[in-house]
């Protein structure tokens, strides 16, 4: 929960009022409180109103809405302005399939994406950036000893939610941005999987900037995830996560499903003509297939044949 305006003076313990019924309160919600809001030990307030949400970032456990996991829609955060997709360049290797999913979720929620590439001391960013070259996706490179001024400037004045696989250095980054956060930091196992360290989403106020002017912004740290289901995103909206492919569909026949089985789908000619990376089309079609329960559900964040994904 975030205050409507002004600095944070105290941490207030509050419970949801019975009048709100089953309406859930999530991180990022702006709420109205009554009762003891002093933040003193033992003080308790009540949440009596949840303001209308400007944006809602959602995910599901699976892509297929016909399954129980696909129907279980989870709100990750409310009222975020920016989705910071944290991906390591090595140890573990970047997985563009997961990044693609996050981009789809961001565009569907009308949230601006920012790609944050960590462990830049272990590998270069050229392969990842080349994959997204047509998107002009904003990005920032992070090394263990790098100055975070560029990232802080991109976070200033915004509510930014950080998502990423376990082990990519997200918690380490949060601790560098907000030293008093003391988020748990884990290691990467021998098989390249990170261990879950953050267990719950938490909103953190960023420290004032060096010049002391302006709103430094908020970051919302989320637990590490292994998949980002998109069952809540319609097939039509799914395409908007691939803006480099959208223009091609103008030449598609009416009611084209854009699958590989569509003989007259214009996406194939678009890629053959060098106007988009064939891996991007493969990723899009894999997400389409996942919606119908096809494909391999064990590693939904990997793009088959993509050397970046190690698959």
């Amino acid at each position: 929960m975030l205050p409507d305006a002004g600095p944070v003076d105290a941490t207030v313990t509050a419970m949801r009022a019975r009048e709100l019924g089953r309406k859930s309160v999530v991180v990022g919600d702006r709420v109205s409180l009554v009762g003891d809001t002093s933040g003193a030990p033992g003080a308790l307030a009540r949440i009596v109103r949840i303001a209308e949400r400007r944006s809602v970032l959602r995910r599901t456990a699976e892509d297929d809405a016909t399954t129980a996991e696909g129907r279980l829609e989870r709100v990750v955060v409310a009222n975020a302005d920016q989705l910071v997709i944290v991906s390591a360049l090595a140890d573990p290797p970047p997985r563009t399939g997961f990044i693609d999913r996050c981009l789809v979720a961001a565009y569907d929620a009308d949230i601006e994406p920012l790609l944050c590439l960590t462990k830049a001391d272990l590998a270069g960013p050229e392969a990842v950036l080349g994959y997204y070259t047509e998107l002009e996706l904003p990005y920032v490179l992070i090394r263990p000893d790098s100055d975070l001024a560029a990232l802080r400037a991109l976070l200033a004045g915004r509510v930014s939610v950080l998502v990423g696989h376990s082990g990519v250095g997200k918690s380490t980054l949060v601790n560098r941005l907000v030293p008093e956060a003391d988020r748990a930091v884990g290691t990467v196992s021998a098989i390249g999987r990170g261990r879950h360290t953050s267990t719950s989403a938490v909103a953190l106020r960023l420290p004032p900037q060096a010049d002391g002017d302006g709103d430094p912004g908020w970051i919302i740290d989320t637990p590490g995830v292994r998949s980002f289901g998109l069952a809540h995103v319609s097939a039509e909206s799914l395409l908007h996560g691939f803006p480099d492919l959208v223009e091609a569909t103008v030449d598609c026949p009416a009611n084209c499903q854009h699958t590989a089985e569509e003989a007259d789908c214009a996406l194939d000619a678009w890629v053959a003509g060098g106007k988009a990376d064939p891996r991007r089309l493969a990723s899009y079609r894999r997400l389409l297939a996942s919606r119908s329960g096809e494909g391999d559900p064990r590693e939904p964040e990997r793009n088959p044949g993509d050397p970046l994904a190690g698959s």
Side-chain angles (χ1 to χ4, degrees), residues 264-281:
D264 297 324
C265 180
L267 288 173
D268 297 281
W270 184 261
V271 168
K275 296 181 179 179
D277 191 318
R279 295 173 298 175
R280 293 280 293 159
L281 177 56

Side-chain angles (χ1 to χ4, degrees), residues 199-256:
T199 59
S200 60
V202 60
L204 301 166
R205 181 74 162 175
L206 288 166
Q209 300 184 73
D211 57 16
D213 295 331
D215 175 13
W218 289 79
I219 57 172
I220 298 177
D221 185 24
T222 62
V225 295
R226 289 201 175 100
S227 64
F228 207 107
L230 298 171
H232 62 286
V233 180
S234 68
E236 180 180 354
S237 295
L238 197 67
L239 182 61
H240 295 296
F242 296 81
D244 45 335
L245 302 178
V246 171
E247 186 178 346
T249 61
V250 174
D251 296 324
C252 285
N255 302 316
C256 179

Side-chain angles (χ1 to χ4, degrees), residues 137-189:
L137 182 65
Y139 70 92
V140 62
L141 299 178
I142 303 295
R143 297 176 177 83
D145 58 349
S146 62
D147 188 331
L148 298 182
L151 177 58
R152 291 184 186 277
L154 293 169
L155 299 175
R158 297 183 173 190
V159 176
S160 302
V161 54
L162 279 65
V163 298
H165 283 297
S166 297
V168 299
K170 182 167 59 64
S171 295
T172 298
L173 179 61
V174 170
N175 288 336
R176 291 184 64 192
L177 289 167
V178 188
E180 63 270 23
D182 195 25
R183 298 294 273 175
V185 177
T187 58
V188 178
S189 68

Side-chain angles (χ1 to χ4, degrees), residues 38-184:
S38 66
L44 181 65
R46 288 193 306 144
I47 301 171
V48 294
R49 187 179 70 87
I50 303 172
E52 183 177 355
R53 294 166 176 167
R54 295 182 291 104
S55 66
V56 179
L57 179 67
R58 300 179 173 91
R59 76 178 182 94
T60 54
E62 288 187 1
D63 293 328
D64 188 356
T66 64
T67 66
E69 292 80 3
R71 289 192 297 270
L72 183 58
E73 185 176 304
R74 298 174 180 172
V75 176
V76 179
V77 65
N79 299 314
D81 305 305
Q82 184 169 236
L83 177 62
V84 182
I85 307 166
V86 184
S87 174
L89 288 168
D91 191 34
R95 291 177 175 173
T96 55
F98 178 79
I99 298 174
D100 287 346
R101 289 169 171 274
C102 292
L103 289 174
V104 168
Y107 292 133
D108 182 67
D110 197 23
I111 298 172
E112 295 183 19
L114 170 64
L115 185 57
C116 181
L117 300 173
T118 63
K119 305 187 183 182
D121 56 315
L122 302 180
E126 294 78 15
V128 177
L129 298 181
Y131 179 77
Y132 293 106
T133 186
E134 298 298 326
L135 273 64
E136 298 183 355
L137 182 65
Y139 70 92
V140 62
L141 299 178
I142 303 295
R143 297 176 177 83
D145 58 349
S146 62
D147 188 331
L148 298 182
L151 177 58
R152 291 184 186 277
L154 293 169
L155 299 175
R158 297 183 173 190
V159 176
S160 302
V161 54
L162 279 65
V163 298
H165 283 297
S166 297
V168 299
K170 182 167 59 64
S171 295
T172 298
L173 179 61
V174 170
N175 288 336
R176 291 184 64 192
L177 289 167
V178 188
E180 63 270 23
D182 195 25
R183 298 294 273 175

